[in-house]
Amino acid sequence: MKKKIAVVIVTFNGEIWLKKNLNSLLNSNYPIDIIIVDNASTDKTISTIKEFSTVELIQSKENLGFGKANTIGIDFALKKGADAVFLLNQDTWIYENTISNLVEALFENPNLGLVSPLHYSVDEKTFDENFNTYFNRFEKEEDSESIRIVPFINAAAWLVSKECFTKTGYFDPIFSHYGEDRNFCERVKYHGFKIGVVKNSAICHDRLVKLNPNKIELQSKYLVLNQMINCNNSLFISLFLGLKSVFGLSKFHFSNQGVLKTISLFNKLLLYYFNLLLNIGMILKIRKNSVKGINGVLPL
């Protein structure tokens, strides 16, 4: 009996990518249900989606961000009986065997809770820049010919089992955009699952990684927050690592920003850190809920 697989895509003003994305999914050699959660697009995204009659569309009246919108789609898919959910970015496309090879790897290796394909850039030859960074963070003993075990992989294309969602929960709604995938991966590991990259499966990601001061600040704040709520560490260690990140992230972004912007970033991160300390009750609550699985991190 084949596993029931649902694809969940969050869209926001994605009309330039959606036809290629959806046509590639329809050419998959593995049967799938496609669910799209739209974050109040203002371009022709909705009309483009409606050209594909088999796609289930959920329209949000506001932009919920990546994590919250995905949670709506995941919850919908699981309630319809999905055995696993394939989270896919709108600016990607897949190949005929992408999903089938992911499904085979996920269900033949019960230690895996989340698998991802290789992420290529738009030229279909070179790895996506961010993916390449994460793909190369691994232990030699956890790298086989078919699957590489990694501590984290960005959420452009994740196949996650129902069992993993049940034990891990959904995306934490504290994250608006950025950071939710890292937090989820930490919780996946806490609940005893491994994260794998399947080497005979691939997608292409049509994007250009751009950094600007606002994006750097938001991503850095969420990295600090992730350290403080990481359930794999004790509270004391988490708070220490959060403070350490304030210094480390400022130093890391020095080459991108120069002296004045780096000092500004450091001051903002330090203030953010101490504000989180003043709200230690919230931190403790998040840490407590993050280990409760699907009953701890609930959909909207």
Side-chain angles (χ1 to χ4, degrees), residues 168-224:
T168 302
Y170 299 114
F171 287 110
D172 196 309
I174 195 172
F175 298 96
S176 58
H177 194 58
Y178 308 122
E180 58 278 286
D181 52 354
R182 188 172 297 277
N183 173 261
F184 187 84
C185 284
E186 295 297 347
R187 287 160 38 217
V188 166
K189 290 182 288 183
Y190 174 87
H191 288 283
F193 294 102
K194 291 186 179 293
I195 299 164
V197 177
V198 180
K199 297 180 181 179
N200 65 352
S201 179
I203 63 155
C204 289
H205 201 171
D206 183 10
R207 62 157 179 177
L208 182 63
V209 179
K210 293 182 179 180
L211 291 176
N212 60 64
N214 291 333
K215 183 176 180 179
I216 288 173
E217 180 184 340
L218 182 58
Q219 288 181 328
S220 297
K221 284 181 176 178
Y222 280 150
L223 281 168
V224 172

Side-chain angles (χ1 to χ4, degrees), residues 158-178:
W158 283 0
L159 181 68
V160 186
S161 68
K162 178 181 179 179
E163 181 186 5
C164 184
F165 277 126
T166 300
K167 292 185 178 179
T168 302
Y170 299 114
F171 287 110
D172 196 309
I174 195 172
F175 298 96
S176 58
H177 194 58
Y178 308 122

Side-chain angles (χ1 to χ4, degrees), residues 9 22 74 77 82 86 94 143 170 187 199 208 220 242-243 294:
I9 304 168
L22 292 173
I74 296 163
F86 185 44
I94 72 166
D143 185 37
Y170 299 114
R187 287 160 38 217
K199 297 180 181 179
L208 182 63
S220 297
L243 182 59
I294 211 165

Side-chain angles (χ1 to χ4, degrees), residues 116-299:
S116 186
L118 300 173
H119 301 197
Y120 287 96
S121 59
V122 68
D123 65 8
E124 303 190 57
K125 297 177 182 178
T126 57
F127 281 156
D128 172 83
E129 182 180 342
N130 282 352
F131 169 80
N132 192 47
T133 299
Y134 307 132
F135 185 57
N136 286 308
R137 293 174 180 167
F138 67 102
E139 302 293 336
K140 287 185 178 180
E141 61 271 18
E142 294 192 308
D143 185 37
S144 69
E145 185 177 341
S146 57
I147 299 171
R148 175 174 293 182
I149 303 300
V150 294
F152 169 79
I153 202 72
N154 52 307
W158 283 0
L159 181 68
V160 186
S161 68
K162 178 181 179 179
E163 181 186 5
C164 184
F165 277 126
T166 300
K167 292 185 178 179
T168 302
Y170 299 114
F171 287 110
D172 196 309
I174 195 172
F175 298 96
S176 58
H177 194 58
Y178 308 122
E180 58 278 286
D181 52 354
R182 188 172 297 277
N183 173 261
F184 187 84
C185 284
E186 295 297 347
R187 287 160 38 217
V188 166
K189 290 182 288 183
Y190 174 87
H191 288 283
F193 294 102
K194 291 186 179 293
I195 299 164
V197 177
V198 180
K199 297 180 181 179
N200 65 352
S201 179
I203 63 155
C204 289
H205 201 171
D206 183 10
R207 62 157 179 177
L208 182 63
V209 179
K210 293 182 179 180
L211 291 176
N212 60 64
N214 291 333
K215 183 176 180 179
I216 288 173
E217 180 184 340
L218 182 58
Q219 288 181 328
S220 297
K221 284 181 176 178
Y222 280 150
L223 281 168
V224 172
L225 175 61
N226 262 317
Q227 291 284 17
M228 297 175 76
I229 64 176
N230 188 343
C231 53
N232 293 290
N233 299 318
S234 69
L235 177 62
F236 176 79
I237 295 296
S238 294
L239 296 182
F240 170 75
L241 291 176
L243 182 59
K244 185 179 178 181
S245 292
V246 171
F247 291 88
L249 289 165
S250 301
K251 181 180 179 182
F252 176 78
H253 288 294
F254 175 77
S255 61
N256 297 320
Q257 302 199 113
V259 176
L260 293 179
K261 288 183 179 179
T262 298
I263 292 173
S264 175
L265 176 64
F266 173 77
N267 289 335
K268 289 176 180 177
L269 292 181
L270 191 62
L271 179 62
Y272 178 73
Y273 175 82
F274 283 114
N275 281 334
L276 289 175
L277 280 184
L278 291 174
N279 288 281
I280 192 66
M282 177 194 72
I283 297 297
L284 291 171
K285 183 178 180 180
I286 293 171
R287 290 173 62 88
K288 182 179 179 181
N289 286 340
S290 67
V291 300
K292 292 182 179 179
I294 211 165
N295 295 316
V297 182
L298 296 172

